[in-house]
């Protein structure tokens, strides 16, 4: 079990498979990209599977989310998922992707054992997409979403970040589109994860702003706290149902007290929080032939020291020499 001093138990593991990405989203990284991790620093497939096996069989993890960077860029991804699907007990498995390439991999991922996907899409306008991501790939993301839905990687969740002056007027249009295509839309408040440190709390589009905009077109009924559980998204029933929309308000309505997540970076570090400033090295233990029991103990100690809340209000938590994309979402 991965328990901390506040009684929270981590059952959800987020695994970053790579720090690389084929987009250059303005709220994530500079146009020229970042200094990527050297290949020897990245965990191998065998190392990832071993850590997930320890997490599932020894530490009580029941859900695994594969992230990046862009996880579809990881060579051998389908085989990696297939190996994790064979674990006993079998964890629920999902993947967060920008959707580029999903058209060609959705069926294989489903056959390998992946349960569902989260796809990032911030706009329905190709020109705005190009401005936000610095790439002309909007059509590829839409095609990837359709392929995921058709392959049965459901519910397909769409993650959207609204940016002032770019797509902040699109919330109602995005929700109408998601309802029509049977996707579950989730708006995410912009978080200070940009390597260029350009994020400012003043002027950000808040959960309150998003809900006000949505209510100009839809009737929203809040789900109960029991239905939400430890999920990061607050959800609302749209026009009486059955469709729902979520808002992840990491900045204005933090949900730290119910957090059930632990994170593994692409280079084998445990992070107790997306905004944590400290990491605990598991890669060194793996490569020194430490037994599973020792690796589990190191992981438990790391989670035992988890803070009550995030360091979000402390700008020094960002590490300029650390590729933030390697941490995952």
């Amino acid at each position: 079990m991965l328990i901390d001093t506040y009684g929270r138990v981590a059952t959800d593991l987020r695994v970053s498979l790579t720090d690389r990405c084929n987009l250059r989203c303005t709220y994530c990284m500079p146009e020229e990209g970042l200094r990527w991790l050297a290949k020897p620093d990245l965990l191998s497939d065998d190392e990832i599977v071993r850590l997930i096996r320890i997490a599932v069989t020894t530490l009580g993890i029941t859900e695994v989310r594969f992230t990046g960077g862009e996880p579809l860029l990881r060579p051998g991804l389908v085989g990696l998922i297939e190996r994790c699907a064979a674990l006993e007990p079998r964890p629920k498995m999902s993947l967060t992707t920008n959707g580029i390439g999903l058209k060609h991999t959705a069926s294989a991922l489903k056959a390998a054992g992946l349960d569902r996907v989260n796809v990032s899409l911030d706009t329905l306008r190709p020109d705005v997409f190009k401005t936000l991501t610095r790439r002309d790939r909007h059509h590829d993301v839409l095609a990837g979403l359709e392929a995921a839905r058709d392959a049965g990687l459901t519910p397909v969740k769409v993650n959207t970040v609204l940016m002032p002056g770019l797509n902040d007027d699109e919330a109602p249009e995005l929700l109408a589109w998601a309802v029509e295509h049977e996707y579950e839309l989730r708006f995410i408040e912009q978080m200070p994860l940009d390597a260029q440190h350009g994020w400012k709390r003043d002027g950000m589009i808040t959960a309150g702003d998003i809900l006000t905009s949505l209510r100009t077109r839809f009737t929203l009924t809040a789900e109960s706290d029991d239905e939400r559980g430890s999920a990061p998204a607050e959800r609302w029933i749209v026009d009486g149902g059955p469709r729902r929309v979520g808002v992840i308000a990491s900045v204005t309505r933090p949900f730290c007290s119910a957090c059930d997540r632990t994170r593994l970076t692409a280079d084998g570090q445990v992070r107790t929080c997306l905004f944590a400033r400290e990491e605990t090295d598991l890669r060194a233990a793996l490569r020194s032939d430490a037994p599973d029991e020792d690796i589990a103990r190191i992981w438990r100690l790391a989670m035992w020291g988890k803070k009550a809340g995030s360091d979000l209000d402390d700008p020094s938590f960002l590490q300029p020499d650390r590729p933030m994309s390697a941490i995952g979402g």
Side-chain angles (χ1 to χ4, degrees):
M1 180 182 295
L2 292 172
I3 190 170
D4 63 35
T5 54
Y6 299 93
R8 296 169 297 192
V9 177
T11 58
D12 185 336
L13 170 61
R14 309 295 171 97
V15 182
S16 175
L17 298 179
T18 178
D19 59 328
R20 297 174 184 265
C21 188
N22 42 12
L23 297 180
R24 296 291 181 269
C25 297
T26 56
Y27 52 76
C28 184
M29 67 175 72
E31 186 170 5
E32 65 275 14
L34 299 169
R35 184 178 64 188
W36 308 123
L37 293 168
K39 187 174 181 179
D41 292 336
L42 295 171
L43 293 180
S44 68
D45 288 359
D46 288 345
E47 289 170 334
I48 291 171
V49 172
R50 184 184 176 196
L51 288 176
I52 293 175
R53 176 177 57 77
I54 292 170
V56 168
T57 62
T58 304
L59 298 175
I61 292 297
T62 59
E63 298 187 34
V64 177
R65 171 87 61 85
F66 297 103
T67 71
E70 173 45 51
L72 293 183
L73 296 179
R74 173 89 185 198
L77 173 62
V78 171
L80 182 65
I81 290 173
E82 192 171 32
R83 292 173 66 182
C84 292
L87 294 172
E88 292 291 343
R90 182 196 186 282
K92 295 179 181 178
M93 293 187 297
S94 59
L95 180 141
T96 295
T97 171
N98 61 29
I100 296 175
L102 194 55
K103 176 182 178 180
H104 305 292
T105 56
S107 294
L109 291 169
K110 178 64 177 180
L114 190 69
D115 295 304
R116 63 171 191 84
V117 293
N118 286 27
V119 179
S120 299
L121 180 65
D122 300 322
T123 178
L124 296 177
R125 305 168 188 168
D127 59 324
V128 176
F129 181 91
K130 188 174 182 179
T131 299
L132 279 168
T133 68
R134 306 184 178 104
R135 298 291 187 271
D136 188 13
R137 306 296 297 272
H138 189 258
H139 58 288
D140 291 316
V141 180
L142 295 181
L145 279 161
E146 292 180 9
R149 183 193 60 206
D150 294 345
L153 291 170
T154 54
V156 176
K157 296 184 179 181
V158 177
N159 294 340
T160 296
V161 176
L162 296 181
M163 303 283 289
L166 286 173
N167 61 340
D168 53 337
D169 61 336
E170 285 196 66
E173 183 182 1
L174 280 159
L175 181 53
W177 165 82
V179 167
E180 178 185 355
H181 290 85
E182 300 181 351
Y183 304 139
E184 183 176 320
L185 182 62
R186 306 195 311 171
F187 292 97
I188 303 175
E189 287 183 337
Q190 184 194 1
M191 295 177 282
L193 298 178
D194 56 317
Q196 59 269 39
H197 302 181
W199 179 88
K200 292 181 175 60
R201 183 186 289 266
D202 294 342
M204 65 170 284
I205 308 301
T206 67
D209 297 330
I210 294 165
L211 293 170
T212 296
S213 179
L214 292 177
R215 285 181 171 126
T216 64
R217 185 166 171 181
F218 301 94
T219 299
L220 304 180
T221 306
E223 281 190 337
S224 68
D225 291 340
D226 290 340
E227 289 178 290
R228 180 184 183 185
S230 61
E234 296 179 75
R235 297 203 309 174
W236 283 263
I237 301 167
V238 179
D239 289 344
R243 301 300 169 198
R244 285 164 168 74
V245 63
V247 178
I248 300 178
S250 301
V251 178
T252 62
R253 304 180 188 177
F255 40 86
C256 301
S257 63
C259 181
D260 65 350
R261 285 167 290 286
T262 183
R263 299 176 183 273
L264 185 64
T265 69
D267 53 351
Q269 311 299 306
V270 170
R271 290 178 71 94
T272 60
C273 173
L274 184 61
F275 304 112
R277 286 177 290 178
E278 300 84 18
E279 297 177 337
T280 301
D281 187 12
L282 293 185
R283 186 184 63 194
L286 282 171
R287 296 181 179 178
S288 63
D289 296 324
D292 289 357
E293 298 78 21
D294 287 358
I295 293 171
R297 177 182 55 80
I298 294 169
W299 206 332
R300 286 191 186 100
L301 286 173
M303 294 304 295
W304 182 251
K306 184 173 182 175
K307 296 181 179 180
S310 72
D311 291 318
L312 185 59
D313 290 320
D314 184 351
S316 68
F317 85 88
L318 284 171
Q319 304 170 52
D321 60 343
R322 180 77 162 107
M324 295 301 289
S325 58
I327 295 168

